[in-house]
Amino acid sequence: MNLRHLETLLAIAESGSFAAAAERVGVTQSAVSMQMQALEAALGTELFDRARRPPVLSEIGLTLLVHARAVVRAADDLSAAASGTVLRGRLRLGVIPTSATGLVPDALALLAARAPDLQIRIESGLSADLARRVSQAVLDAALVTETPRLERGLVVRPILEEPLLVVAPRSAAGPPARTLLRRLPFVRFNRRTGVGRVIDAALRRDRVVVNEIMELDSIEAILAMVGRGLGVAVAPAGSVVGAVAETVHALPFGDPPVLRRVGLLERERPAGAEVNPTTTALLEVFRAVVRAPAVVVHESADLPRM
């Protein structure tokens, strides 16, 4: 069995077609087809339903994907150990949109400096979808908003806790946060996101009725709407920094402030199994970035709370 054939199989599964996989691995589409025929011959089974156009993975093919990923990862680890460099190979990381413009770029820049031979592929998605892809071994790990319920076989390692803020147009400064939420049009964070669920639960718990006019899943878009005077929103404190902080009025959300927790999700390893050095290093750089001094929203001590 040829390791390159397994890598091509994974490329097909991730890109969705023979043609896209060919471009990713740097060979022709006919070469991809020949590799898959050779792999099927070696395994003694058909991996694709070729009655469909383009061909799609059969049930057996989908089942074997997890094992193929494990073999490729083991080969990468073996190469790394042989070269004396621990952090080599590939890392497939999922990230939630709210972390993609701050925490993730800073952490990846630090990791790239420490491990220049490590290849990292980033995919964005909602926490629930990222958890599913980690469980299926499509992703090695994912940065997610922590939720009370976690699928069996997964573990999440804490990275940060940050308060949520009520953000309103600067022209609306003055009233308490609860009043702003009730009076102004509400720009809601998508309730399917982890932070969106945290916000929705807090509003319902405190019986705050809002006049919802939008529901978005981009933190940049939400803050832009608020900055243009179109309404009020609730956002993670880490996103209300820099130039954005100059366009909005920020107040604590809840008393005590409501927090959202972010962690690194990965598959749980059997008792006694060695830790994954790559995801361990990733966790370390995320925590290092969180510990580093950051720009914060300055508020006077007498600001009213929600």
Side-chain angles (χ1 to χ4, degrees), residues 5-22 24-25 32 36 39 47-48 55-58 60-69 92 121 123 132-133 136-139:
H5 296 172
L6 293 179
E7 293 174 335
T8 301
L9 175 66
L10 297 182
I12 295 170
E14 292 167 5
S15 63
S17 71
F18 281 35
R24 178 180 293 190
V25 300
V32 167
M36 291 305 95
L39 181 59
L47 301 175
F48 296 91
V56 297
L57 282 163
S58 63
I60 294 177
L62 290 171
T63 300
L64 292 179
L65 277 181
V66 174
H67 302 288
R69 289 190 179 96
R92 299 178 180 90
R121 175 180 172 81
E123 297 183 20
R132 176 183 57 80
R133 285 189 269 173
Q136 295 174 345
V138 176
L139 297 173

Side-chain angles (χ1 to χ4, degrees), residues 62-115:
L62 290 171
T63 300
L64 292 179
L65 277 181
V66 174
H67 302 288
R69 289 190 179 96
V71 171
V72 172
R73 168 51 66 90
D76 288 340
D77 291 344
L78 181 62
S79 296
S83 68
T85 304
V86 175
L87 298 182
R88 289 189 62 190
R90 287 167 291 190
L91 172 68
R92 299 178 180 90
L93 175 67
V95 301
I96 47 178
T98 51
S99 68
T101 58
L103 177 61
V104 170
D106 291 343
L108 293 186
L110 183 57
L111 185 59
R114 295 182 180 181

Side-chain angles (χ1 to χ4, degrees), residues 239-259:
S239 62
V240 191
V241 296
V244 170
E246 302 300 320
T247 67
V248 299
H249 172 60
L251 294 170
F253 177 51
D255 186 8
V258 178
L259 302 175

Side-chain angles (χ1 to χ4, degrees), residues 183-205:
R183 287 182 181 176
L184 298 180
F186 187 60
V187 183
R188 183 185 290 277
F189 218 117
N190 188 333
R191 277 168 286 202
R192 295 189 300 114
T193 66
V195 68
R197 288 193 295 270
V198 172
I199 293 168
D200 188 53
L203 290 173
R204 287 187 283 105
R205 181 197 64 210

